[in-house]
Amino acid sequence: MNRHPQLTIIILEDDGNIYKTRKLNDGQEFQIVKIFYQPDELKHKLKKAGFQAEVKVTDNYFIYAQGKKFETIRNSESVII
């Protein structure tokens, strides 16, 4: 059952191009950015950007993350992350 009547789900292959065209069922087209991350790669990139995140995969095609920015506590001698 498609819960979004404006969308038809199409599984994309990674062709190396991050820019994709999305066409809605009403004919509107939009340019989007689509990056094909593996879960561990996404978690690593988020950590490098300063986030502590949990990355999960759905049963149907999607990877998602939830997290928060690391808190940095500074004292006179060190930075604790």
Side-chain angles (χ1 to χ4, degrees), residues 67-79:
K68 63 181 179 176
K69 190 83 169 158
F70 284 120
E71 286 189 41
T72 304
I73 303 169
R74 295 181 184 271
N75 65 29
S76 62
E77 296 179 11
S78 63
V79 175

Side-chain angles (χ1 to χ4, degrees), residues 2-28:
N2 187 356
R3 289 184 270 165
H4 302 284
Q6 303 90 344
L7 301 174
T8 299
I9 295 175
I10 299 171
I11 300 172
L12 298 174
E13 298 295 324
D14 185 1
D15 62 4
N17 183 3
I18 66 170
Y19 300 101
K20 305 289 182 190
T21 300
R22 285 288 196 268
K23 186 173 184 178
L24 301 182
N25 290 344
D26 68 3
Q28 293 182 84

Side-chain angles (χ1 to χ4, degrees), residues 48-80:
K48 282 181 63 177
F51 289 88
Q52 180 179 9
E54 183 176 347
V55 178
K56 296 184 179 182
V57 180
T58 68
D59 291 337
N60 296 309
Y61 327 116
F62 298 102
I63 298 171
Y64 64 98
Q66 179 177 346
K68 63 181 179 176
K69 190 83 169 158
F70 284 120
E71 286 189 41
T72 304
I73 303 169
R74 295 181 184 271
N75 65 29
S76 62
E77 296 179 11
S78 63
V79 175
I80 302 168

Side-chain angles (χ1 to χ4, degrees), residues 39-53:
D40 289 341
E41 178 187 12
L42 179 57
K43 187 172 185 172
H44 176 73
K45 287 185 176 283
L46 288 168
K47 185 175 182 179
K48 282 181 63 177
F51 289 88
Q52 180 179 9

